[in-house]
Amino acid sequence: TKTRSSFAEKFQLLMANFRAVDENFFDELEETLIAADVGFEIALKISDELQDEVRLKNATSKKEVQETIIEKLVDVYDQAGNGEDNSMHMAAAGNPSVFLFVGVNGVGKTTTIGKMAQLYRQQSKKVLLAAADTFRAGATEQLVEWAKRDQVDVVTGKEKSDPAAVVFDAVKRAVDQHYDILFVDTAGRLQNNENLMRELEKMKKTITRQLPEAPQEVLLVLDATTGQNALQQARLFKDSTDVTGLVLTKLDGTAKGGIVLAIRQELHLPVKWVGLGEKVTDLAPFDADQFVYGLFKDLI
Amino acid sequence: MAFENLTSRIQTAMKNLSGKGKVSEGDLDETLREIRLALLEADVNLKIARSFIAQVREKALGAKVLEGLNPSEQIIKIVNDQLTDMMGAQAVPLNKSPKIPTVIMMAGLQGAGKTTTVAKLANKLKNDNHARPLLIAADVYRPAAIEQLQTLGRQLSIPVFDQGTDVDPRQIVKDGLKQADQEKNDYVFIDTAGRLQIDELLMQELKDIEKIAKPDEILLTVDAMTGQNATETAQGFNDALGITGVVLTKLDGDTRGGAALSIREVTGKPIKFVGEGEKVTDLDVFYPDRMASRILGMGDILSLIEKT
Ligand SMILES: Nc1nc2c(ncn2[C@@H]2O[C@H](COP(=O)(O)OP(=O)(O)OP(=O)(O)O)[C@@H](O)[C@H]2O)c(=O)[nH]1
Ligand SMILES: Nc1nc2c(ncn2[C@@H]2O[C@H](COP(=O)(O)OP(=O)(O)OP(=O)(O)O)[C@@H](O)[C@H]2O)c(=O)[nH]1
Ligand SMILES: [Mg+2]
Ligand SMILES: [Mg+2]
């Protein structure tokens, strides 16, 4: 695993080679962070704290200033989740683990399940998928296609049928037929749609009623191109379904997903996975090192 | 860190002014800072927020706002007018070809809402204008993208042209257009796969489709929740294709939708429609003034001003 010191070293080297800390530095720092969707408040806070540090330490030599800045960036790095438990929680032996996927429309829930199911199947887990998006046109077919690619089983329901019924059937089958992991795909819904949020709660209760320890993970999928609204998504999905972690998708694009810093600060939700493309292999565990580097790299 | 609306922001910033009689340039700048913050919280791109504020400042000084009776109301009015202006003053309809078919091509990032929007627009034309649209399924990449479009077509009784996933999208578009000619369809929608504006291979595919289809309308579909990156996306697609209009989706959410301003500014192209839900009827034309108030979060104070 990555350590703070190796991260600091790497940044130190980069800064020393590419960037002088002059008057423009703090302005540009602030702008870089805002451009990464970190949000105005946090960008300002980081920049202010940095300037205070430099002043406090009476850092005058170029080297001292730079060291202070690196220290602060490492702070940000820790805030981003370095050294934190972002592993997936599993059920006690003999029971299936249930992973419930939630999020707004089009962020990448179904695709992430397609990728992750393959990952666990390759670890010789017996994997089942539940197509509990009975609403969107082609949603079930999409998950069924992923199941075929992954060579895993899938439980489906009729178009427009009650998604909780699909969840019920899937959990029952997972228990009866001794699956290791059940992935539950849900329809995208906007967090301010109260009816649909209640429907989601109902699905979660359906799981818990059959398996009191489940779901082991409720993963909120966030699109890295989303701006400040992602914070509100995290708040309301956490309220209704007790989210256990985040998946940040579409990091292969030019967006940085900086809003997760604000989400972490307020809600303390760890990012567990990142999506890096549309292929089955384009999923990786969250790496705070790379994430923070991504946020700042335009500054260097 | 709740979204404070601009009304209370400006009221706070101007709180001290009321008794003072005369307002200084410093007071104005204080207010402008609050407005800038509101724009950033609404996801307006930083650079665009900055130039917006500069223009408002100039106008405020020019209008001698500081000497007027109600400086805060005047500033709000200038801000709102400026923003509405930048959004494009009028609603712009869909382009129409002098001879059939009118070809409409979709473009945008993954998951933005292209396929859903195709269904919404085709349905609207069918209902309002008795149009006979054909939908071409040119997304061969996303699993079940074709089934999604077919399902929508079936629900709406609108024909869908597809050749499965093994045929090149360029060829699908060619053959689809041929069928539209034969069947005398008056509108053709080309549903394309989502792609990143930095994906050279897939952007080339879009350019090729554009050359083949010579669309009357190229609609960039953008998620209203998009953050600071909206400028880069819009720029990328516009540079490659020369888009003719924008559809802003998912406005039924609680996002302020500042991306709208960013996109409008970097492309100069009109936002023509907004998506306000998942159902095929959840489509509306774009109202610049509504969007302006939404971004600023100040519907209430505007109605207040209008009353006085
Ligand atoms: N570039 C890129 N595209 C992605 C990524 N993850 C998903 N996508 C694409 O984003 C689009 C939407 O993905 P879905 O998995 O259907 O999203 P969803 O959240 O299930 O959508 P709904 O069920 O409609 O709410 C598809 O075109 C995916 O291929 C990613 O990490 N990078
Ligand atoms: N709430 C809401 N959801 C929308 C709206 N427009 C589209 N969606 C949803 O957003 C998700 C993605 O929509 P699609 O039409 O599949 O998006 P796309 O751009 O075709 O996606 P790709 O083909 O994967 O690039 C689906 O869940 C849609 O139902 C809207 O205006 N409001
Ligand atoms: Mg889905
Ligand atoms: Mg599509």
Side-chain angles (χ1 to χ4, degrees), chain A residues 31 34-35 37 40-41 105 136-137 142 159 190-192 225 227-229 232-233 250 252 254 278, chain B residues 1 37 40 43 46 50 110 142-144 148 155 196-197 225-229 232 250 252-254 278:
Chain A
E31 284 176 21
I34 291 173
D37 291 315
F40 179 78
E41 274 184 37
N105 307 83
R136 207 206 70 216
Q142 186 185 3
E159 212 179 299
L190 297 179
Q191 70 277 7
N192 60 332
T225 49
Q228 302 306 298
N229 192 252
Q232 191 64 3
Q233 292 172 22
K250 309 187 193 176
D252 47 325
T254 45
E278 300 186 78
Chain B
M1 232 179 68
L37 194 56
L40 289 177
D43 290 319
L46 178 63
R50 193 177 289 144
Q110 288 93 345
R142 166 171 168 172
Q148 183 185 4
Q155 285 167 4
L196 299 169
Q197 81 281 4
M225 296 176 275
T226 310
Q228 294 286 318
N229 210 243
E232 261 180 79
K250 309 180 198 175
D252 44 323
D254 51 15
E278 295 191 74

Side-chain angles (χ1 to χ4, degrees), chain A residues 161-213:
Chain A
S161 65
D162 179 7
V166 179
V167 173
F168 183 87
D169 290 348
V171 174
K172 185 164 185 330
R173 178 159 163 200
V175 173
D176 291 350
Q177 302 180 15
H178 307 291
Y179 282 88
D180 295 310
I181 304 174
L182 169 65
F183 290 87
V184 180
D185 189 21
T186 63
R189 66 201 74 221
L190 297 179
Q191 70 277 7
N192 60 332
N193 187 323
E194 287 173 19
N195 286 337
L196 291 180
M197 292 305 275
R198 264 197 299 276
E199 180 195 82
L200 195 61
E201 282 174 42
K202 185 176 154 201
M203 282 190 253
K204 191 181 170 218
K205 281 201 191 105
T206 303
I207 297 170
T208 308
R209 222 173 285 132
Q210 294 170 90
L211 286 169
E213 305 292 317

Side-chain angles (χ1 to χ4, degrees), chain B residues 109-116 139 142 145 148-149 191-194:
Chain B
L109 295 180
Q110 288 93 345
K114 296 174 292 299
T115 308
T116 307
D139 177 358
R142 166 171 168 172
Q148 183 185 4
L149 195 66
D191 184 30
T192 63

